[in-house]
mmCIF file of all heavy atoms in Angstrom:
data_model
loop_
_atom_site.group_PDB
_atom_site.id
_atom_site.type_symbol
_atom_site.label_atom_id
_atom_site.label_comp_id
_atom_site.label_asym_id
_atom_site.label_seq_id
_atom_site.Cartn_x
_atom_site.Cartn_y
_atom_site.Cartn_z
ATOM 1 N N LEU A 40 184.637 122.416 142.628
ATOM 2 C CA LEU A 40 184.372 121.715 141.329
ATOM 3 C C LEU A 40 182.801 121.516 141.198
ATOM 4 O O LEU A 40 182.276 121.622 140.172
ATOM 5 C CB LEU A 40 185.174 120.501 141.185
ATOM 6 C CG LEU A 40 186.636 120.648 140.988
ATOM 7 C CD1 LEU A 40 187.291 119.385 140.810
ATOM 8 C CD2 LEU A 40 186.998 121.591 139.830
ATOM 9 N N ASN A 41 182.187 121.146 142.379
ATOM 10 C CA ASN A 41 180.810 120.925 142.356
ATOM 11 C C ASN A 41 179.964 122.160 142.023
ATOM 12 O O ASN A 41 178.982 122.230 141.308
ATOM 13 C CB ASN A 41 180.346 120.346 143.645
ATOM 14 C CG ASN A 41 180.646 118.849 143.827
ATOM 15 O OD1 ASN A 41 180.870 118.153 142.865
ATOM 16 N ND2 ASN A 41 180.730 118.345 145.075
ATOM 17 N N ILE A 42 180.436 123.273 142.599
ATOM 18 C CA ILE A 42 179.807 124.591 142.284
ATOM 19 C C ILE A 42 180.056 125.009 140.907
ATOM 20 O O ILE A 42 179.066 125.404 140.218
ATOM 21 C CB ILE A 42 180.389 125.654 143.354
ATOM 22 C CG1 ILE A 42 180.005 125.326 144.745
ATOM 23 C CG2 ILE A 42 179.840 127.058 142.871
ATOM 24 C CD1 ILE A 42 180.662 126.231 145.720
ATOM 25 N N VAL A 43 181.253 124.857 140.466
ATOM 26 C CA VAL A 43 181.575 125.229 138.975
ATOM 27 C C VAL A 43 180.661 124.362 138.029
ATOM 28 O O VAL A 43 180.202 124.843 137.042
ATOM 29 C CB VAL A 43 183.083 125.028 138.643
ATOM 30 C CG1 VAL A 43 183.340 125.084 137.209
ATOM 31 C CG2 VAL A 43 183.862 126.058 139.455
ATOM 32 N N THR A 44 180.606 122.998 138.265
ATOM 33 C CA THR A 44 179.793 122.160 137.394
ATOM 34 C C THR A 44 178.338 122.572 137.325
ATOM 35 O O THR A 44 177.791 122.504 136.284
ATOM 36 C CB THR A 44 180.013 120.746 137.898
ATOM 37 O OG1 THR A 44 181.285 120.367 137.971
ATOM 38 C CG2 THR A 44 179.207 119.776 137.011
ATOM 39 N N LYS A 45 177.790 122.980 138.430
ATOM 40 C CA LYS A 45 176.402 123.371 138.505
ATOM 41 C C LYS A 45 176.196 124.728 137.855
ATOM 42 O O LYS A 45 175.163 124.988 137.259
ATOM 43 C CB LYS A 45 175.927 123.452 140.012
ATOM 44 C CG LYS A 45 175.823 121.990 140.688
ATOM 45 C CD LYS A 45 175.379 122.156 142.035
ATOM 46 C CE LYS A 45 175.309 120.745 142.752
ATOM 47 N NZ LYS A 45 174.886 120.853 144.126
ATOM 48 N N LYS A 46 177.179 125.700 138.076
ATOM 49 C CA LYS A 46 176.919 127.083 137.559
ATOM 50 C C LYS A 46 177.403 127.211 136.061
ATOM 51 O O LYS A 46 176.872 128.192 135.407
ATOM 52 C CB LYS A 46 177.723 128.083 138.470
ATOM 53 C CG LYS A 46 177.263 128.013 139.831
ATOM 54 C CD LYS A 46 175.938 128.687 140.054
ATOM 55 C CE LYS A 46 175.566 128.675 141.546
ATOM 56 N NZ LYS A 46 174.206 129.281 141.796
ATOM 57 N N ILE A 47 178.309 126.446 135.728
ATOM 58 C CA ILE A 47 178.902 126.606 134.343
ATOM 59 C C ILE A 47 178.674 125.342 133.535
ATOM 60 O O ILE A 47 179.058 124.269 133.882
ATOM 61 C CB ILE A 47 180.433 126.993 134.388
ATOM 62 C CG1 ILE A 47 180.643 128.192 135.213
ATOM 63 C CG2 ILE A 47 180.995 127.199 133.013
ATOM 64 C CD1 ILE A 47 182.122 128.545 135.561
ATOM 65 N N ASP A 48 178.170 125.602 132.298
ATOM 66 C CA ASP A 48 177.950 124.424 131.399
ATOM 67 C C ASP A 48 179.088 124.212 130.328
ATOM 68 O O ASP A 48 179.136 123.051 129.815
ATOM 69 C CB ASP A 48 176.571 124.640 130.649
ATOM 70 C CG ASP A 48 175.382 124.656 131.555
ATOM 71 O OD1 ASP A 48 175.401 123.997 132.502
ATOM 72 O OD2 ASP A 48 174.425 125.387 131.240
ATOM 73 N N ASP A 49 179.887 125.164 130.144
ATOM 74 C CA ASP A 49 180.930 125.095 129.175
ATOM 75 C C ASP A 49 182.027 124.105 129.576
ATOM 76 O O ASP A 49 182.586 124.254 130.672
ATOM 77 C CB ASP A 49 181.630 126.504 129.015
ATOM 78 C CG ASP A 49 182.527 126.543 127.716
ATOM 79 O OD1 ASP A 49 183.318 125.556 127.502
ATOM 80 O OD2 ASP A 49 182.574 127.572 127.127
ATOM 81 N N VAL A 50 182.194 123.075 128.873
ATOM 82 C CA VAL A 50 183.132 121.927 129.127
ATOM 83 C C VAL A 50 184.505 122.461 129.294
ATOM 84 O O VAL A 50 185.314 121.973 130.180
ATOM 85 C CB VAL A 50 182.995 120.889 128.195
ATOM 86 C CG1 VAL A 50 184.023 119.638 128.481
ATOM 87 C CG2 VAL A 50 181.646 120.216 128.130
ATOM 88 N N LYS A 51 184.917 123.319 128.469
ATOM 89 C CA LYS A 51 186.296 123.910 128.414
ATOM 90 C C LYS A 51 186.600 124.633 129.773
ATOM 91 O O LYS A 51 187.673 124.466 130.249
ATOM 92 C CB LYS A 51 186.518 124.784 127.193
ATOM 93 C CG LYS A 51 186.484 123.997 125.791
ATOM 94 C CD LYS A 51 186.855 124.990 124.742
ATOM 95 C CE LYS A 51 187.026 124.229 123.334
ATOM 96 N NZ LYS A 51 187.293 125.069 122.214
ATOM 97 N N ILE A 52 185.675 125.398 130.110
ATOM 98 C CA ILE A 52 185.920 126.164 131.381
ATOM 99 C C ILE A 52 185.907 125.278 132.583
ATOM 100 O O ILE A 52 186.752 125.459 133.507
ATOM 101 C CB ILE A 52 184.812 127.265 131.472
ATOM 102 C CG1 ILE A 52 184.853 128.295 130.510
ATOM 103 C CG2 ILE A 52 184.824 127.931 132.898
ATOM 104 C CD1 ILE A 52 183.687 129.309 130.473
ATOM 105 N N GLN A 53 185.091 124.182 132.585
ATOM 106 C CA GLN A 53 185.131 123.192 133.586
ATOM 107 C C GLN A 53 186.497 122.612 133.649
ATOM 108 O O GLN A 53 187.056 122.383 134.781
ATOM 109 C CB GLN A 53 183.995 122.167 133.476
ATOM 110 C CG GLN A 53 182.611 122.781 133.587
ATOM 111 C CD GLN A 53 181.587 121.694 133.437
ATOM 112 O OE1 GLN A 53 181.905 120.505 133.154
ATOM 113 N NE2 GLN A 53 180.332 122.063 133.369
ATOM 114 N N TYR A 54 186.950 122.244 132.606
ATOM 115 C CA TYR A 54 188.296 121.593 132.409
ATOM 116 C C TYR A 54 189.397 122.429 132.973
ATOM 117 O O TYR A 54 190.230 122.120 133.774
ATOM 118 C CB TYR A 54 188.563 121.278 130.976
ATOM 119 C CG TYR A 54 190.019 120.709 130.706
ATOM 120 C CD1 TYR A 54 190.450 119.434 131.109
ATOM 121 C CD2 TYR A 54 191.011 121.591 130.246
ATOM 122 C CE1 TYR A 54 191.689 119.106 130.920
ATOM 123 C CE2 TYR A 54 192.366 121.255 130.021
ATOM 124 C CZ TYR A 54 192.695 119.898 130.408
ATOM 125 O OH TYR A 54 193.929 119.526 130.187
ATOM 126 N N LYS A 55 189.339 123.787 132.602
ATOM 127 C CA LYS A 55 190.352 124.733 133.113
ATOM 128 C C LYS A 55 190.278 124.878 134.668
ATOM 129 O O LYS A 55 191.287 124.962 135.345
ATOM 130 C CB LYS A 55 190.181 126.130 132.476
ATOM 131 C CG LYS A 55 190.545 126.106 131.002
ATOM 132 C CD LYS A 55 190.272 127.498 130.415
ATOM 133 C CE LYS A 55 190.641 127.548 128.974
ATOM 134 N NZ LYS A 55 190.539 128.850 128.345
ATOM 135 N N TRP A 56 189.012 124.821 135.201
ATOM 136 C CA TRP A 56 188.924 124.899 136.733
ATOM 137 C C TRP A 56 189.478 123.659 137.280
ATOM 138 O O TRP A 56 190.170 123.725 138.414
ATOM 139 C CB TRP A 56 187.396 124.997 137.074
ATOM 140 C CG TRP A 56 186.992 126.525 137.173
ATOM 141 C CD1 TRP A 56 186.333 127.299 136.137
ATOM 142 C CD2 TRP A 56 187.190 127.296 138.288
ATOM 143 N NE1 TRP A 56 186.043 128.516 136.642
ATOM 144 C CE2 TRP A 56 186.528 128.620 137.939
ATOM 145 C CE3 TRP A 56 187.625 127.144 139.556
ATOM 146 C CZ2 TRP A 56 186.569 129.671 138.820
ATOM 147 C CZ3 TRP A 56 187.619 128.271 140.359
ATOM 148 C CH2 TRP A 56 187.151 129.391 140.079
ATOM 149 N N ARG A 57 189.284 122.489 136.751
ATOM 150 C CA ARG A 57 189.809 121.312 137.327
ATOM 151 C C ARG A 57 191.339 121.323 137.324
ATOM 152 O O ARG A 57 191.959 120.917 138.313
ATOM 153 C CB ARG A 57 189.385 120.053 136.528
ATOM 154 C CG ARG A 57 187.955 119.690 136.695
ATOM 155 C CD ARG A 57 187.623 118.273 136.250
ATOM 156 N NE ARG A 57 187.852 118.153 134.810
ATOM 157 C CZ ARG A 57 186.951 118.352 133.913
ATOM 158 N NH1 ARG A 57 185.745 118.732 134.211
ATOM 159 N NH2 ARG A 57 187.315 118.136 132.590
ATOM 160 N N LYS A 58 191.920 121.792 136.262
ATOM 161 C CA LYS A 58 193.366 121.770 136.168
ATOM 162 C C LYS A 58 193.965 122.920 137.091
ATOM 163 O O LYS A 58 194.980 122.625 137.755
ATOM 164 C CB LYS A 58 193.839 122.016 134.711
ATOM 165 C CG LYS A 58 193.422 120.937 133.683
ATOM 166 C CD LYS A 58 194.043 119.678 134.003
ATOM 167 C CE LYS A 58 195.551 119.665 133.716
ATOM 168 N NZ LYS A 58 196.126 118.168 133.951
ATOM 169 N N SER A 59 193.369 124.103 136.997
ATOM 170 C CA SER A 59 193.879 125.167 137.847
ATOM 171 C C SER A 59 193.752 124.907 139.367
ATOM 172 O O SER A 59 194.758 125.151 140.104
ATOM 173 C CB SER A 59 193.137 126.469 137.522
ATOM 174 O OG SER A 59 193.296 126.808 136.173
ATOM 175 N N SER A 60 192.622 124.398 139.744
ATOM 176 C CA SER A 60 192.467 124.089 141.178
ATOM 177 C C SER A 60 193.429 122.985 141.618
ATOM 178 O O SER A 60 193.904 123.055 142.743
ATOM 179 C CB SER A 60 190.973 123.608 141.451
ATOM 180 O OG SER A 60 190.723 122.344 140.775
ATOM 181 N N LEU A 61 193.633 121.929 140.804
ATOM 182 C CA LEU A 61 194.688 121.037 141.157
ATOM 183 C C LEU A 61 196.025 121.567 141.318
ATOM 184 O O LEU A 61 196.761 121.217 142.244
ATOM 185 C CB LEU A 61 194.699 119.895 140.019
ATOM 186 C CG LEU A 61 195.743 118.726 140.248
ATOM 187 C CD1 LEU A 61 195.373 117.987 141.525
ATOM 188 C CD2 LEU A 61 195.708 117.829 139.045
ATOM 189 N N HIS A 62 196.489 122.448 140.410
ATOM 190 C CA HIS A 62 197.833 123.102 140.555
ATOM 191 C C HIS A 62 197.837 123.982 141.723
ATOM 192 O O HIS A 62 198.890 123.845 142.524
ATOM 193 C CB HIS A 62 198.050 123.878 139.205
ATOM 194 C CG HIS A 62 198.190 123.034 138.101
ATOM 195 N ND1 HIS A 62 197.982 123.581 136.739
ATOM 196 C CD2 HIS A 62 198.455 121.760 137.888
ATOM 197 C CE1 HIS A 62 198.056 122.628 135.902
ATOM 198 N NE2 HIS A 62 198.452 121.434 136.525
ATOM 199 N N VAL A 63 196.920 124.793 142.027
ATOM 200 C CA VAL A 63 196.940 125.701 143.131
ATOM 201 C C VAL A 63 197.000 124.889 144.495
ATOM 202 O O VAL A 63 197.699 125.185 145.342
ATOM 203 C CB VAL A 63 195.684 126.654 143.090
ATOM 204 C CG1 VAL A 63 195.644 127.421 144.475
ATOM 205 C CG2 VAL A 63 195.880 127.585 141.927
ATOM 206 N N LEU A 64 196.120 123.835 144.585
ATOM 207 C CA LEU A 64 196.032 123.158 145.843
ATOM 208 C C LEU A 64 197.267 122.253 146.080
ATOM 209 O O LEU A 64 197.625 122.011 147.153
ATOM 210 C CB LEU A 64 194.736 122.290 145.826
ATOM 211 C CG LEU A 64 193.440 122.999 145.908
ATOM 212 C CD1 LEU A 64 192.252 122.127 145.904
ATOM 213 C CD2 LEU A 64 193.469 123.865 147.241
ATOM 214 N N THR A 65 197.930 121.860 144.964
ATOM 215 C CA THR A 65 199.151 121.127 145.004
ATOM 216 C C THR A 65 200.222 121.944 145.749
ATOM 217 O O THR A 65 201.012 121.517 146.507
ATOM 218 C CB THR A 65 199.660 120.610 143.687
ATOM 219 O OG1 THR A 65 198.613 119.758 143.166
ATOM 220 C CG2 THR A 65 200.939 119.863 143.780
ATOM 221 N N VAL A 66 200.311 123.264 145.259
ATOM 222 C CA VAL A 66 201.276 124.124 145.797
ATOM 223 C C VAL A 66 201.001 124.467 147.325
ATOM 224 O O VAL A 66 201.856 124.387 148.087
ATOM 225 C CB VAL A 66 201.371 125.482 145.025
ATOM 226 C CG1 VAL A 66 202.177 126.564 145.776
ATOM 227 C CG2 VAL A 66 201.794 125.268 143.581
ATOM 228 N N ILE A 67 199.661 124.653 147.593
ATOM 229 C CA ILE A 67 199.337 124.929 148.971
ATOM 230 C C ILE A 67 199.632 123.803 149.932
ATOM 231 O O ILE A 67 200.155 123.817 151.058
ATOM 232 C CB ILE A 67 197.795 125.228 149.109
ATOM 233 C CG1 ILE A 67 197.490 126.527 148.300
ATOM 234 C CG2 ILE A 67 197.344 125.342 150.547
ATOM 235 C CD1 ILE A 67 196.032 126.937 148.284
ATOM 236 N N ALA A 68 199.320 122.465 149.386
ATOM 237 C CA ALA A 68 199.609 121.307 150.146
ATOM 238 C C ALA A 68 201.056 121.120 150.395
ATOM 239 O O ALA A 68 201.556 120.783 151.439
ATOM 240 C CB ALA A 68 199.080 120.082 149.362
ATOM 241 N N PHE A 69 201.889 121.448 149.287
ATOM 242 C CA PHE A 69 203.340 121.354 149.520
ATOM 243 C C PHE A 69 203.899 122.267 150.537
ATOM 244 O O PHE A 69 204.750 121.894 151.378
ATOM 245 C CB PHE A 69 204.010 121.644 148.161
ATOM 246 C CG PHE A 69 205.550 121.679 148.165
ATOM 247 C CD1 PHE A 69 206.277 120.469 148.229
ATOM 248 C CD2 PHE A 69 206.230 122.865 148.136
ATOM 249 C CE1 PHE A 69 207.674 120.416 148.345
ATOM 250 C CE2 PHE A 69 207.573 122.882 148.227
ATOM 251 C CZ PHE A 69 208.313 121.720 148.282
ATOM 252 N N LEU A 70 203.456 123.479 150.541
ATOM 253 C CA LEU A 70 203.787 124.521 151.532
ATOM 254 C C LEU A 70 203.333 124.185 152.937
ATOM 255 O O LEU A 70 204.097 124.361 154.005
ATOM 256 C CB LEU A 70 203.250 125.936 151.208
ATOM 257 C CG LEU A 70 203.825 126.495 149.857
ATOM 258 C CD1 LEU A 70 203.074 127.828 149.570
ATOM 259 C CD2 LEU A 70 205.295 126.721 149.935
ATOM 260 N N ALA A 71 202.157 123.568 152.989
ATOM 261 C CA ALA A 71 201.674 123.154 154.354
ATOM 262 C C ALA A 71 202.461 122.008 154.926
ATOM 263 O O ALA A 71 202.706 121.992 156.147
ATOM 264 C CB ALA A 71 200.106 122.712 154.145
ATOM 265 N N LEU A 72 202.790 121.021 154.051
ATOM 266 C CA LEU A 72 203.608 119.966 154.534
ATOM 267 C C LEU A 72 205.050 120.353 154.940
ATOM 268 O O LEU A 72 205.581 119.857 155.890
ATOM 269 C CB LEU A 72 203.734 118.872 153.382
ATOM 270 C CG LEU A 72 202.431 118.104 153.030
ATOM 271 C CD1 LEU A 72 202.647 117.198 151.902
ATOM 272 C CD2 LEU A 72 201.949 117.311 154.325
ATOM 273 N N ILE A 73 205.562 121.383 154.294
ATOM 274 C CA ILE A 73 206.810 121.961 154.699
ATOM 275 C C ILE A 73 206.763 122.557 156.109
ATOM 276 O O ILE A 73 207.576 122.464 156.954
ATOM 277 C CB ILE A 73 207.291 123.081 153.696
ATOM 278 C CG1 ILE A 73 207.722 122.398 152.355
ATOM 279 C CG2 ILE A 73 208.393 123.865 154.141
ATOM 280 C CD1 ILE A 73 208.924 121.567 152.433
ATOM 281 N N LYS A 74 205.578 123.313 156.269
ATOM 282 C CA LYS A 74 205.383 123.955 157.609
ATOM 283 C C LYS A 74 205.174 122.886 158.729
ATOM 284 O O LYS A 74 205.720 123.089 159.804
ATOM 285 C CB LYS A 74 204.130 124.772 157.465
ATOM 286 C CG LYS A 74 203.762 125.493 158.708
ATOM 287 C CD LYS A 74 204.838 126.514 159.163
ATOM 288 C CE LYS A 74 204.369 127.446 160.434
ATOM 289 N NZ LYS A 74 205.404 128.317 160.779
ATOM 290 N N ILE A 75 204.503 121.787 158.403
ATOM 291 C CA ILE A 75 204.247 120.745 159.404
ATOM 292 C C ILE A 75 205.536 120.009 159.752
ATOM 293 O O ILE A 75 205.749 119.808 160.967
ATOM 294 C CB ILE A 75 203.173 119.862 158.938
ATOM 295 C CG1 ILE A 75 201.811 120.565 158.811
ATOM 296 C CG2 ILE A 75 203.006 118.601 159.820
ATOM 297 C CD1 ILE A 75 200.797 119.714 158.077
ATOM 298 N N TRP A 76 206.288 119.574 158.804
ATOM 299 C CA TRP A 76 207.369 118.752 159.008
ATOM 300 C C TRP A 76 208.709 119.411 159.311
ATOM 301 O O TRP A 76 209.565 118.775 159.928
ATOM 302 C CB TRP A 76 207.507 117.761 157.802
ATOM 303 C CG TRP A 76 206.555 116.725 157.668
ATOM 304 C CD1 TRP A 76 205.303 116.887 157.007
ATOM 305 C CD2 TRP A 76 206.571 115.442 158.257
ATOM 306 N NE1 TRP A 76 204.583 115.619 157.238
ATOM 307 C CE2 TRP A 76 205.335 114.815 157.912
ATOM 308 C CE3 TRP A 76 207.507 114.777 159.111
ATOM 309 C CZ2 TRP A 76 205.006 113.442 158.316
ATOM 310 C CZ3 TRP A 76 207.213 113.446 159.467
ATOM 311 C CH2 TRP A 76 205.988 112.827 159.049
ATOM 312 N N PHE A 77 208.869 120.633 158.875
ATOM 313 C CA PHE A 77 210.165 121.288 159.045
ATOM 314 C C PHE A 77 210.038 122.648 159.869
ATOM 315 O O PHE A 77 210.918 123.437 159.770
ATOM 316 C CB PHE A 77 210.741 121.505 157.632
ATOM 317 C CG PHE A 77 210.930 120.377 156.768
ATOM 318 C CD1 PHE A 77 210.083 119.981 155.886
ATOM 319 C CD2 PHE A 77 212.091 119.555 157.064
ATOM 320 C CE1 PHE A 77 210.386 118.828 155.058
ATOM 321 C CE2 PHE A 77 212.294 118.407 156.348
ATOM 322 C CZ PHE A 77 211.407 118.071 155.433
ATOM 323 N N GLN A 78 208.956 122.708 160.689
ATOM 324 C CA GLN A 78 208.922 123.923 161.463
ATOM 325 C C GLN A 78 209.911 124.077 162.487
ATOM 326 O O GLN A 78 210.238 125.194 162.967
ATOM 327 C CB GLN A 78 207.462 123.928 162.179
ATOM 328 C CG GLN A 78 207.209 122.790 163.069
ATOM 329 C CD GLN A 78 205.876 122.791 163.714
ATOM 330 O OE1 GLN A 78 205.182 123.719 163.552
ATOM 331 N NE2 GLN A 78 205.489 121.712 164.349
ATOM 332 N N GLY A 79 210.563 122.976 162.850
ATOM 333 C CA GLY A 79 211.658 123.072 163.821
ATOM 334 C C GLY A 79 213.012 123.601 163.237
ATOM 335 O O GLY A 79 213.851 123.837 163.945
#
Side-chain angles (χ1 to χ4, degrees):
L40 293 180
N41 286 337
I42 295 173
V43 171
T44 303
K45 291 178 181 179
K46 298 292 184 180
I47 301 174
D48 295 328
D49 194 319
V50 177
K51 290 184 177 179
I52 296 178
Q53 292 179 4
Y54 171 79
K55 290 180 179 179
W56 269 97
R57 286 197 300 270
K58 299 297 290 185
S59 299
S60 62
L61 178 62
H62 294 158
V63 171
L64 291 180
T65 299
V66 173
I67 295 175
F69 176 76
L70 295 176
L72 292 176
I73 289 291
K74 180 66 175 176
I75 294 169
W76 287 89
F77 299 99
Q78 59 183 351

